[in-house]
Amino acid sequence: MFDLPLDLSQARILVTNDDGIHAQGLKVLEAIARSITDDVWVVAPEMEQSAASHSLTINRPLRLRQLDERRYTVDGTPTDCVLLAVNHIMKDARPTLVLSGVNQGSNIGEDVTYSGTIAAAMEATLLGVPAIALSQHYENRTQIDWSAAERWGAEVIRKAVSVAWPKYVLLNVNFPARPAAEVTGIQVVRHGKRKIGDELVERVDPRGKPYIWIGTLRGEADVAPDTDIHVVFSGGISVTPVYLDLTHTPTLQTLRHAFE
């Protein structure tokens, strides 16, 4: 069990992301964190690492740069950033909470298996630090409205850490593509399922070589109402607990019988 509930006024918060150190969502999350506590640290990738998943850099050295007091960047993945932050930069006084995001785009349904935002929270969880991943859904990439995350982010975090979570659980939070005043509420729901990966665009580059671009087509139709997909597309904020023990316990006994 994590050391929860947390007294956020005394919390030491690590902020990270997968969109990179210069991302607008990181600025939003920093502001949210600083509204909660004065002890805020930032360790984020130098470059965008979207869809990096839980990858760890092991075949080359990592470069860590200090940009300012309590502000660092790493030329690696979100997982690298959290690992270096917890076990190196902050090793003498580890964070009491890790916040990852605010991601540019939602992380709902199957997105959690690809997301670098979720992966950063995973790494923190595996290192024994409670973590929350936060993402902002949008309909127009060039005109993202961050107001839902800005208005509701601190409230969601405060409520989330007011109760205890089991070990190996992280929280996945998604804000809808609506102005803050139009958010319909906060719902704790399960992850939904969508049809993904159908948009494969085949083209030819200027040198005459063929290539395939994986698109972002998703199917939101016919999703259950008690899922993150339905809640976010209906204008609400979804909160989903994610459990990192991937063992399917009911199948253990079945397989044991098969291998006797």
Side-chain angles (χ1 to χ4, degrees):
M1 190 74 71
F2 290 124
D3 188 16
L4 293 168
L6 276 182
D7 177 3
L8 285 175
S9 66
Q10 302 298 316
R12 166 164 287 193
I13 295 180
L14 168 63
V15 174
T16 190
N17 73 348
D18 74 351
D19 287 328
I21 191 69
H22 301 296
Q24 180 61 33
L26 186 69
K27 296 176 183 176
V28 171
L29 190 54
E30 283 187 68
I32 292 170
R34 295 187 195 284
S35 74
I36 294 172
T37 179
D38 294 329
D39 197 355
V40 176
W41 297 65
V42 177
V43 183
E46 280 193 347
M47 306 291 290
E48 181 182 348
Q49 297 287 326
S50 295
S53 189
H54 198 199
S55 57
L56 186 68
T57 302
I58 59 173
N59 293 319
R60 65 169 179 84
L62 291 167
R63 304 293 182 184
L64 172 68
R65 289 194 301 128
Q66 183 169 2
L67 304 178
D68 205 341
E69 185 179 5
R70 301 181 185 177
R71 188 176 181 85
Y72 299 79
T73 186
V74 178
D75 68 336
T77 68
T79 301
D80 296 330
C81 291
V82 174
L83 182 64
L84 265 62
V86 174
N87 285 346
H88 179 67
I89 299 170
M90 305 173 71
K91 63 181 180 181
D92 295 329
R94 287 160 55 103
T96 52
L97 178 67
V98 171
L99 302 177
S100 179
V102 176
N103 190 64
Q104 181 174 293
S106 57
N107 278 303
I108 51 181
E110 290 86 348
D111 294 342
V112 299
T113 63
Y114 308 108
S115 168
T117 304
I118 303 294
M122 284 183 178
E123 186 65 15
T125 303
L126 293 173
L127 292 171
V129 182
I132 304 174
L134 305 100
S135 303
Q136 174 65 62
H137 185 60
Y138 63 81
E139 295 176 353
N140 185 340
R141 189 182 185 91
T142 62
Q143 295 180 329
I144 299 176
D145 183 352
W146 298 93
S147 65
E150 290 169 334
R151 160 63 181 85
W152 295 95
E155 181 173 338
V156 170
I157 294 167
R158 290 182 190 281
K159 289 184 176 180
V161 301
S162 68
V163 295
W165 325 331
K167 191 177 182 181
Y168 300 129
V169 168
L170 65 92
L171 298 190
N172 181 26
V173 177
N174 285 273
F175 301 96
R178 289 194 182 186
E182 297 179 14
V183 171
T184 59
I186 305 169
Q187 295 189 52
V188 179
V189 288
R190 62 186 175 91
H191 281 136
K193 292 183 179 180
R194 301 180 293 177
K195 188 177 183 181
I196 61 174
D198 282 354
E199 188 179 359
L200 300 176
V201 180
E202 298 183 63
R203 293 180 179 171
V204 178
D205 70 17
R207 295 181 179 273
K209 295 182 179 180
Y211 67 88
I212 297 176
W213 194 286
I214 299 176
T216 58
L217 183 65
R218 298 288 191 272
E220 275 77 39
D222 302 322
V223 295
D226 63 335
T227 62
D228 55 353
I229 299 170
H230 183 273
V231 169
V232 170
F233 276 83
S234 298
I237 299 168
S238 68
V239 179
T240 304
V242 179
Y243 187 39
L244 297 188
D245 184 348
L246 301 182
T247 302
H248 188 251
T249 305
T251 307
L252 282 174
Q253 197 59 38
T254 301
L255 284 173
R256 285 170 180 158
H257 285 311
F259 284 89
E260 285 178 354

